[in-house]
């Protein structure tokens, strides 16, 4: 979840003032946007919990840097984690976000393989990453887009991750959409024009996840 969308108004915990990335968006709107992203993440966790399979959730929050917030949580644990997320401020680093997701999957796989050493019926889990963002990356400084593409390629090829980009943009941006397709595992991007509309993606995303399993 991008770290460039919030402010200290409307009751957002930990939102520093003057940090709204878009000069055309009010500070209060930025703060509400962060709440919409959290609400959408919770909605997806709740919906995915109904899938007839064992599953765990890991959560990564990113801004200038990526941070692995939780690893291999149950549905209820993940919902609690999302509820406690606060705005960090900063810019957008997709490369570190994906790298942290890869780290969580590596740790999860190592744990599961260790637990399944004596289980001849063990089947490796399917790894799905939903990347929620409102723009192209702006860091690392040397090549933010190239760094993100490199990490996405490693995630797909080395970690067998199915990547689903969710993109929020009030204006049609062909360059940004092309970049998001480059991150995607199947050239699809789930895009909406505002943060409040994120919830309308639920059924389409559930279908996409179901097809990838």
């Amino acid at each position: 979840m991008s770290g460039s969308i919030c402010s200290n108004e409307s009751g957002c915990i930990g939102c520093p003032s003057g940090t709204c990335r878009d000069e055309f968006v009010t500070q209060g709107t930025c703060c509400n946007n962060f709440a919409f992203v959290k609400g959408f993440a919770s909605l997806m966790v709740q919906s995915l919990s109904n899938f007839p399979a064992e599953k765990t959730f890991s959560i990564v929050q990113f801004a200038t840097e990526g941070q692995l917030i939780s690893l291999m949580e149950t549905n209820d644990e993940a919902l609690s984690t999302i509820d406690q997320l606060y705005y960090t401020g900063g810019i957008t680093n997709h490369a570190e976000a994906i790298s942290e997701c890869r780290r969580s999957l590596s740790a999860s796989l190592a744990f599961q393989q260790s637990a399944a050493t004596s289980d001849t019926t063990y089947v490796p889990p399917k790894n799905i990453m939903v990347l929620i963002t409102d723009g192209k990356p702006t860091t690392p400084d040397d090549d933010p887009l190239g760094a993100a593409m490199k990490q996405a390629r490693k995630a797909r090829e080395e970690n067998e991750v199915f990547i689903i980009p969710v993109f929020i943009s009030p204006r049609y941006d062909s360059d940004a959409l092309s970049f998001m397709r480059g991150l995607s595992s199947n050239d699809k991007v789930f895009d909406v024009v505002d943060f409040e509309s994120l919830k309308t993606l639920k059924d389409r995303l559930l279908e996409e996840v179901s097809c990838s399993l």
Side-chain angles (χ1 to χ4, degrees), residues 62-192:
F62 66 94
T64 306
E65 298 176 348
Q67 182 181 7
L68 177 59
I69 303 296
S70 66
L71 177 66
M72 294 182 63
E73 291 190 314
T74 65
N75 170 63
D76 289 342
E77 289 170 340
L79 291 173
S80 177
T81 296
I82 293 169
D83 185 57
Q84 296 175 58
L85 290 177
Y86 63 91
Y87 180 67
T88 62
I91 49 181
T92 303
N93 190 335
H94 287 158
E96 279 209 13
I98 298 171
S99 176
E100 286 295 282
C101 285
R102 293 182 61 219
R103 184 164 72 90
S104 76
L105 292 170
S106 295
S108 172
L109 181 60
F111 174 82
Q112 291 168 341
Q113 288 177 334
S114 174
T117 51
S118 60
D119 185 358
T120 57
T121 64
Y122 172 74
V123 178
K126 298 289 186 179
N127 301 317
I128 298 173
M129 180 192 308
V130 178
L131 178 71
I132 307 171
T133 187
D134 64 338
K136 293 185 292 187
T138 51
T139 193
D141 293 337
D142 52 346
D143 185 8
L145 277 70
M149 288 291 193
K150 180 179 179 180
Q151 285 297 326
R153 184 173 62 253
K154 285 185 175 182
R156 293 191 302 264
E157 296 176 359
E158 298 178 15
N159 304 98
E160 298 183 353
V161 179
F162 191 86
I163 303 176
I164 305 174
V166 173
F167 179 46
I168 308 103
S169 177
R171 297 173 290 276
Y172 178 75
D173 187 334
S174 59
D175 288 341
L177 283 170
S178 177
F179 166 74
M180 298 298 165
R181 291 190 187 100
L183 298 180
S184 173
S185 290
N186 61 356
D187 203 42
K188 288 184 180 180
V189 179
F190 292 80
D191 59 307
V192 291

Side-chain angles (χ1 to χ4, degrees), residues 15-29:
C15 296
S17 61
T19 55
C20 187
R21 185 184 66 117
D22 192 332
E23 62 180 318
F24 300 106
V25 179
T26 67
Q27 296 291 331
T29 297

